[in-house]
Structures are given as C-alpha cells and as structure tokens.
Amino acid sequence: MIIKVKKPLKDNITINLALILPFLIVFAILSGVFGAVILNRFDLLIRGSIIAVPGIFAAVTLSYIYKNSNERKEHNSSLVNLSEKKCIKLFCILYLASLIILLMSTTRPLQYLTIILILYFIVFIQIFTRSNSPHIILFEIFFLLLNLTYSVTLKYSLYFGGTDILPHMFLSEVTFLSGHTIPIDLSSAYADFPLFHIFISEVSYLLGSNIQISYFLITAPVFATSIFFVYLVMLNISNDKRVSLLSSLLFSTFSVTVYSGMYMVTRTMAFIGFVIILYLIYNRNSKKSPLLKTLGLLFGMFIILVHQVSIPQIIVIFFLILFVEIVLGKIMQDKSSYISQTYVLLLIVSFIAYWLYVSYAFTQSLTALYFDSTNYESLSMKPTIQAGNQWYFIFNNIGYSAVTFLALVGIGGTWYVHKKSYLQVFALISLLILPLYIPTPLQLFWNTMTFFRFDRFILLVSPFIAFMMALGLIYLMELFQFKKINKSYFYTISLLLLSILVVSSIISTSPEPSYSIDSERRYFDSAEVASFNYVFDYIPYGSQLYSDYFTRRYIPFQNFSQTETLGLPYYNESFRTSLSVRNIQRTNGYIVWRNKAFLESGLRVGDGGMVDMRSDSPEWNRMSSEFEKRNKLYSNSHVEVYY
C-alpha cells in the first residue's frame, strides 16, 4: 500500500522548520567551533565532536528523507519473519543465564554484560516481527531494567552512587523508628517533604527487613514501571504500537534511565509521578473523566510532597508544551490543547502555597541561596571540564552520538512527513529541550548544571527524546525501503546504534572503576561495612571523627532532638570538617581510613579533591606520618581506624 503525501506548502511552518533544520545543525556546529577557538580551548572541539559528527550525518540523512517523502510505503516488507515464541524462549533462557552468572560471580563479569546486550537485541528484533505482543515486550523491557538495577544494588554490599542514597536511608530509618516524619532540626530540606521516607519505612515494616534491603528491593520495580507509562503516553499520541514500543526500549537504554533505576532517590520518585501525569493528560478520556482529573491533582500533590524542587521544573515543561501547542495550534487537525491551563495554574498555586505556609524553613534557605549575589558574580566551568580528559569524556558519553543522530532525524522527519498532526508538537518540544539532554555548551558551566540544577531536567525530558529517536528509526527504515536497500543493512545499523547506547550506559553507570572512567568506586564492600559497624559499636558517640567524603555521607554526624531517644549514633559536628594533615594535627579525634579504596583510586578528601600517591604524594607522605603517630584501633586490610 502507498500512502500519498501532498507536496509541502510554503506557508506551513513545520515544513519550513524541517527544511531549515539541516542548516541550523550546521550553523550550531560552526558556532561551537568558533566559540572553542575564541576560548582557546581546543579540547572543547574534541568534546563537541560527540554531537557534531552525528549532527552532520543527521543533516545529510534528513535531506534524503525530504527528497523521498512524497511517497511513503508501509514498512511491512522491512519486518522480520521470525516466530515470536522462539524469541521469547531465547529471551527466557539467556535471562536465566544472566542471573546464574551474577550468582556465581563476585562482580558483574563481561559475560553478563554481553548477555544483557544480546537480550536487548532480541527485544529489538521482536518489535519488528510481523506479529508481536506489546504486553510481552513491555514486560521483557521491564525485567531487563530490573536485572540491570539489581545486578548493582543487590550485588554489592552497599551501593551509594552519588551518595544521596545514604542520607535517605538514614532519614527513612528515623521515620521507621519514630513512627512519624523527621523533625525539622534533622533536615529542614526534607522535614516537610516526607512521602519518600514514609514509603521506605512502611515497606520495611511490611517486609520485616532492614531499611537497606527494603530500599533496594522496592525502589527498582517502582522505577521500572515508568517503562509502561512511557509506552502508554506515546501510544496515545502516535497511535502506533511499534513506535511506542521502540520509545520504551530506547528509554530503557539511556544512561540516565539505568542510573536512576540504581540511584533511586526522591527526585526519581517525582519523575514517576510526572510520567503518570503525562499519561493522564494524554489519555483520550482525560477531558471527560472526573476520575482522571482527580488523579491528575493527586499525583500533582504527590510530586510536591515527595521532592522539593521537582514540581517547578515539571511546571516549566508543562508551560513549554502549552507554548508549543499555541504556536502550532493553527496547523494541527486537533486544535484543542491537551495541557489544561487551569491544571497548571492549580499546580503553581498549590506548590507556592505549600512552600510559603508549610515548608517555610526550606523556602527561606532556598531564597537565601538564590538571592546571594556572590553566586552570580562569574560564569565558571564545571571542575570536571579540564583539558586533558576530553578522550575520557568521549569514551564515557559515546551513547549521546546515537541519541543526537536519531533524535534529529526524528524531529526533522516528523515536521516534514506528519503535517497537521500533534506529533509536530512533540517534535518542536524535543528540539527545544534537546540541549538539556545531550552535551552542549549549556552543560559546561557550574552555574547552569549545579546551581540552577539544569542536570535534573535530563531525566524529565528523556521520554520526549526517546520518542523522537523511535520515529527517527522508522524514517530511516522507510528511507532504506524506498531506496530498495536490503533490509539487513537497516538492522545492522540499528543494532549498532543500540549497542552504542547499551554499552555506553553500562560503562557510565557502573560502580566498578574497571568498567567506568569514573575512578572512584561507588559502593562499600563488606569489609568496609564491617568497619563502620565497629565505629558504631566502639567509638563513643559525640567523638570527633575524620574520614573521606563517601564515609562521611554514611556515618550519621548530627545530634538532633530525637537522637538519644531513638538510640541513634552521632558524632561531633566537626566530623564534616575535611580530612587533611592540618586538621588532624590541630585536633585530636578518630580517623577512619579506607586504605584499600585509597590504593585503588585515591580518596576524596581535602577540599573535595582527590589524594592519591601519584598526584599528591607529598600530602600523602605527611598524612601517613601522622597515622604512624597514632594508635591503630582497628584494621581488616580494607579499613584502618586510628586515634
């Protein structure tokens, strides 16, 4: 069957945008080159190549799509003639093999990661079989994401990722022991946003397990359910099961998705609420059903209570959708707006009222931070953006090259092919938010990524990017079919792009330095956990304690109003003071030194830097001499405790 597509109209804004897009890509690349030359930072040219090269390929591909889009053929001839039952059996066998390998190994060996990649290949091929079962494929993706998550969180003694997991466990422990929300003198940032810690403590109570086990057991499947909601949102918009399944699969391969499954914290839980709200908004009955409207309000309240700053960021995305709907409303067949202005205003009023009248302490600290003029004096690059580590950056972020190529092809192709369709709204939104997701000059600066927390947008916008990538793959397949190129070339290229995404995600999110460029081990081993238990059992509470940054995030330091009542450990407030030669010479106290981690990759001490024998040997020599002057109280070959 051939679907006739009318010739483009000059007054169609999206057609003009599509035709301009390849030139915009080239202009953006040349601007980046010019900026790097002006700054005399040629390492930025190498970093930028990760999006510049696929951007050029995308521009060329779009020009071919535009030339051959007047006749779009249904892509049945490009589908795979494979039995879905055989694919399911093979998936189950290999999935079981991956679990056996995990149980037999102390870490995640290369054989396990290879099987995971093959499993992703199987799911991808299933999506392109002539008769597939969406619910089976979705559960396969769900269990794949669950496998990757549990292979870290339940495999290692105590995974902590970016370290926020550790204080969240402590706050959940306080909630569990006290039976009510945490007091404000423990944490003004979370005292009035308690849902996450209540959830973890309730699960711990129901399962009869400790907080750590409950935390990792329940958070992984909760996050993995986002796969289903991404599928439902995209299905309601595209009415295409294959594109929606591809969106869910690609979303599951993103490094931010894999990492968020392992590093499930309050903002990740807020993301779950966000995708559920998107599903409710784009549900076909959303404007007629009082139940769906009520659920939308309830999940809005859920986001407000589960994380402090996610709701304003989500409102920004809703405003962006509203803006794009207005701009493109005149050329869409369905001119009605999916996003209700009343609903957005209710969210704004609700979170402002809550911030002002309930969580006043948090609001006061936040306004003090953002009204401090010293934070706006200069624009500074992130400390990780240094000349010399650009090749590490390329290796660690190669997956963004596949994202850039497919997303740009999907955006341009949608504008040109799907005239008068709501898909154009998602295409324009995706182009506007793409700089927040891929490495761009916006992500170079501490001010934007850390101070204004633009890094938090990456997870929120990922479903939109995955949707455009899925459409990009479909347009690529149609182009190959029109050019009468053997379909094996399409599947070879697609599996190569999928491999780049999966391997890059595994590398960049691995807690093991052997797989990741990040040299710091992101978990505590069993010997380190045993040493911490020694600290709790034998070092008097209130003592002055020094250690590296990761250890300080684990061991409670704050003596709050319920500390003694609940029988919790605490240490002197100066425990937060940096471990340095000057500090330990000046004050007596206990030192917890993770010597094995130090010998592996150094420890994060001092002013947030790394002390290691290669880069800072004089400092280490002075520190080791201070250790020799002290009494060694405990040693297990991984950790030493001095006094």
Side-chain angles (χ1 to χ4, degrees):
M1 177 181 177
I2 297 179
I3 304 171
K4 295 292 183 180
V5 180
K6 295 180 181 180
K7 293 182 179 180
L9 302 174
K10 291 183 179 179
D11 59 346
N12 192 324
I13 185 174
T14 56
I15 290 293
N16 294 328
L17 283 173
L19 295 173
I20 294 172
L21 183 59
F23 299 100
L24 288 177
I25 294 171
V26 174
F27 175 76
I29 293 171
L30 293 177
S31 300
V33 172
F34 181 74
V37 172
I38 291 295
L39 294 172
N40 197 27
R41 289 289 302 270
F42 293 98
D43 60 297
L44 296 180
L45 291 177
I46 298 175
R47 293 174 184 272
S49 65
I50 203 170
I51 59 172
V53 174
I56 293 172
F57 277 107
V60 174
T61 303
L62 284 173
S63 66
Y64 281 104
I65 290 174
Y66 298 160
K67 291 177 183 178
N68 303 291
S69 65
N70 286 340
E71 288 188 350
R72 296 187 63 213
K73 296 182 179 180
E74 286 191 345
H75 37 259
N76 288 335
S77 61
S78 295
L79 300 181
V80 181
N81 294 315
L82 281 179
S83 168
E84 188 182 29
K85 290 183 179 179
K86 291 182 180 179
C87 291
I88 295 172
K89 289 179 181 178
L90 182 59
F91 180 91
C92 293
I93 292 171
L94 290 176
Y95 193 91
L96 182 61
S98 71
L99 298 180
I100 293 173
I101 291 174
L102 276 178
L103 291 173
M104 294 177 61
S105 308
T106 55
T107 59
R108 299 191 302 175
L110 186 59
Q111 298 91 324
Y112 165 78
L113 303 178
T114 303
I115 290 178
I116 291 294
L117 182 59
I118 295 173
L119 288 171
Y120 270 106
F121 287 172
I122 293 172
V123 176
F124 180 84
I125 296 299
Q126 277 182 261
I127 293 175
F128 285 94
T129 55
R130 293 187 182 277
S131 58
N132 56 45
S133 302
H135 61 284
I136 292 177
I137 293 175
L138 285 172
F139 273 105
E140 287 176 347
I141 301 172
F142 173 84
F143 284 113
L144 258 177
L145 189 55
L146 212 58
N147 193 326
L148 278 172
T149 302
Y150 282 150
S151 69
V152 169
T153 57
L154 297 184
K155 184 67 178 174
Y156 300 101
S157 294
L158 179 52
Y159 170 78
F160 53 77
T163 73
D164 281 354
I165 285 177
L166 302 175
H168 281 305
M169 283 185 179
F170 180 69
L171 297 180
S172 300
E173 182 78 23
V174 172
T175 304
F176 176 83
L177 293 174
S178 65
H180 52 74
T181 58
I182 62 172
I184 197 167
D185 65 328
L186 174 58
S187 173
S188 61
Y190 285 104
D192 296 314
F193 306 91
L195 282 192
F196 184 79
H197 308 118
I198 293 173
F199 174 64
I200 299 299
S201 60
E202 287 291 342
V203 171
S204 180
Y205 177 79
L206 292 173
L207 295 180
S209 57
N210 62 39
I211 291 293
Q212 179 184 331
I213 295 297
S214 303
Y215 191 107
F216 290 131
L217 274 179
I218 193 62
T219 55
V222 167
F223 179 77
T225 57
S226 61
I227 296 296
F228 301 103
F229 290 103
V230 169
Y231 170 79
L232 292 172
V233 171
M234 304 317 166
L235 182 62
N236 287 332
I237 294 171
S238 67
N239 200 29
D240 189 321
K241 292 181 179 180
R242 185 166 284 109
V243 170
S244 303
L245 288 171
L246 265 179
S247 301
S248 294
L249 178 66
L250 292 171
F251 170 76
S252 73
T253 65
F254 289 166
S255 58
V256 66
T257 305
V258 176
Y259 182 67
S260 299
M262 303 170 184
Y263 190 60
M264 181 74 167
V265 289
T266 50
R267 64 177 179 270
T268 318
M269 188 69 84
F271 168 76
I272 303 299
F274 172 61
V275 292
I276 293 175
I277 289 176
L278 282 180
Y279 163 69
L280 295 173
I281 287 172
Y282 288 104
N283 190 290
R284 292 179 177 86
N285 300 318
S286 61
K287 294 187 177 181
K288 300 177 182 178
S289 172
L291 176 61
L292 294 180
K293 292 179 180 179
T294 304
L295 287 174
L297 290 174
L298 288 176
F299 277 101
M301 298 303 105
F302 166 80
I303 294 173
I304 292 173
L305 292 172
V306 83
H307 188 232
Q308 320 99 319
V309 295
S310 286
I311 191 66
Q313 293 178 324
I314 289 170
I315 288 172
V316 168
I317 294 176
F318 285 157
F319 266 123
L320 181 62
I321 297 174
L322 275 171
F323 170 76
V324 174
E325 284 182 341
I326 293 171
V327 170
L328 301 181
K330 295 182 180 180
I331 62 172
M332 292 189 301
Q333 289 178 338
D334 185 1
K335 295 184 180 181
S336 60
S337 174
Y338 281 91
I339 301 290
S340 167
Q341 296 181 19
T342 304
Y343 176 70
V344 177
L345 288 174
L346 278 173
L347 289 182
I348 294 173
V349 171
S350 298
F351 99 81
I352 291 178
Y354 192 81
W355 279 23
L356 291 178
Y357 296 106
V358 179
S359 59
Y360 178 74
F362 163 75
T363 307
Q364 191 176 34
S365 62
L366 193 69
T367 52
L369 174 66
Y370 282 96
F371 280 96
D372 185 355
S373 60
T374 59
N375 291 319
Y376 303 93
E377 291 177 352
S378 62
L379 193 65
S380 58
M381 284 193 179
K382 294 192 300 183
T384 54
I385 310 296
Q386 298 177 1
N389 67 355
Q390 59 268 22
W391 295 111
Y392 293 133
F393 173 84
I394 293 289
F395 183 78
N396 228 21
N397 296 275
I398 192 65
Y400 288 112
S401 59
V403 172
T404 303
F405 172 72
L406 290 177
L408 289 175
V409 171
I411 291 168
T414 299
W415 281 341
Y416 200 86
V417 171
H418 291 281
K419 294 184 287 293
K420 297 184 179 180
S421 167
Y422 193 85
L423 291 176
Q424 295 178 346
V425 172
F426 260 50
L428 184 53
I429 292 169
S430 299
L431 181 66
L432 295 175
I433 62 180
L434 189 60
L436 294 172
Y437 189 86
I438 61 176
T440 58
L442 193 65
Q443 297 190 11
L444 290 176
F445 300 102
W446 171 87
N447 310 68
T448 54
M449 298 306 291
T450 303
F451 184 66
F452 287 108
R453 303 308 332 189
F454 279 22
D455 59 328
R456 303 287 173 83
F457 279 104
I458 295 176
L459 180 61
L460 294 174
V461 304
S462 57
F464 300 89
I465 305 300
F467 186 43
M468 285 300 111
M469 290 174 65
L471 288 170
L473 269 176
I474 297 299
Y475 301 144
L476 198 62
M477 181 174 67
E478 292 174 352
L479 178 63
F480 276 53
Q481 184 178 344
F482 182 86
K483 292 289 188 179
K484 297 181 180 179
I485 300 174
N486 192 306
K487 64 182 180 182
S488 61
Y489 289 100
F490 164 74
Y491 288 106
T492 301
I493 293 173
S494 299
L495 292 178
L496 177 62
L497 293 172
L498 186 65
S499 300
I500 292 173
L501 285 169
V502 174
V503 173
S504 176
S505 295
I506 291 174
I507 289 173
S508 61
T509 61
S510 174
E512 286 284 355
S514 57
Y515 286 118
S516 175
I517 293 303
D518 185 356
S519 60
E520 299 171 289
R521 176 157 50 83
R522 295 288 174 165
Y523 66 90
F524 294 128
D525 59 30
S526 57
E528 290 170 339
V529 173
S531 70
F532 300 152
N533 291 333
Y534 171 85
V535 170
F536 298 148
D537 291 339
Y538 295 102
I539 293 183
Y541 296 166
S543 301
Q544 187 140 316
L545 199 61
Y546 294 102
S547 191
D548 62 282
Y549 172 74
F550 292 154
T551 303
R552 295 204 310 270
R553 292 286 282 172
Y554 176 69
I555 298 179
F557 59 84
Q558 188 171 349
N559 183 14
F560 64 101
S561 57
Q562 298 178 13
T563 298
E564 294 184 3
T565 304
L566 301 177
L568 294 170
Y570 69 94
Y571 296 92
N572 195 292
E573 186 67 22
S574 60
F575 173 59
R576 302 185 68 181
T577 306
S578 303
L579 173 59
S580 64
V581 174
R582 184 184 63 177
N583 286 339
I584 62 178
Q585 285 177 336
R586 185 174 53 188
T587 310
N588 290 328
Y590 296 87
I591 299 172
V592 179
W593 183 255
R594 295 192 298 134
N595 56 303
K596 185 175 185 295
F598 170 75
L599 295 175
E600 288 173 349
S601 56
L603 289 178
R604 185 177 296 187
V605 298
D607 297 325
M610 293 289 292
V611 173
D612 63 73
M613 298 176 69
R614 291 169 297 177
S615 64
D616 200 2
S617 55
E619 176 74 8
W620 163 240
N621 290 333
R622 290 194 296 270
M623 190 172 290
S624 64
S625 66
E626 288 298 321
F627 290 168
E628 292 174 359
K629 298 176 185 178
R630 295 173 177 257
N631 298 315
K632 183 184 292 188
L633 303 181
Y634 177 88
S635 176
N636 65 7
S637 77
H638 287 213
V639 180
E640 295 172 345
V641 179
Y642 297 93
Y643 177 70

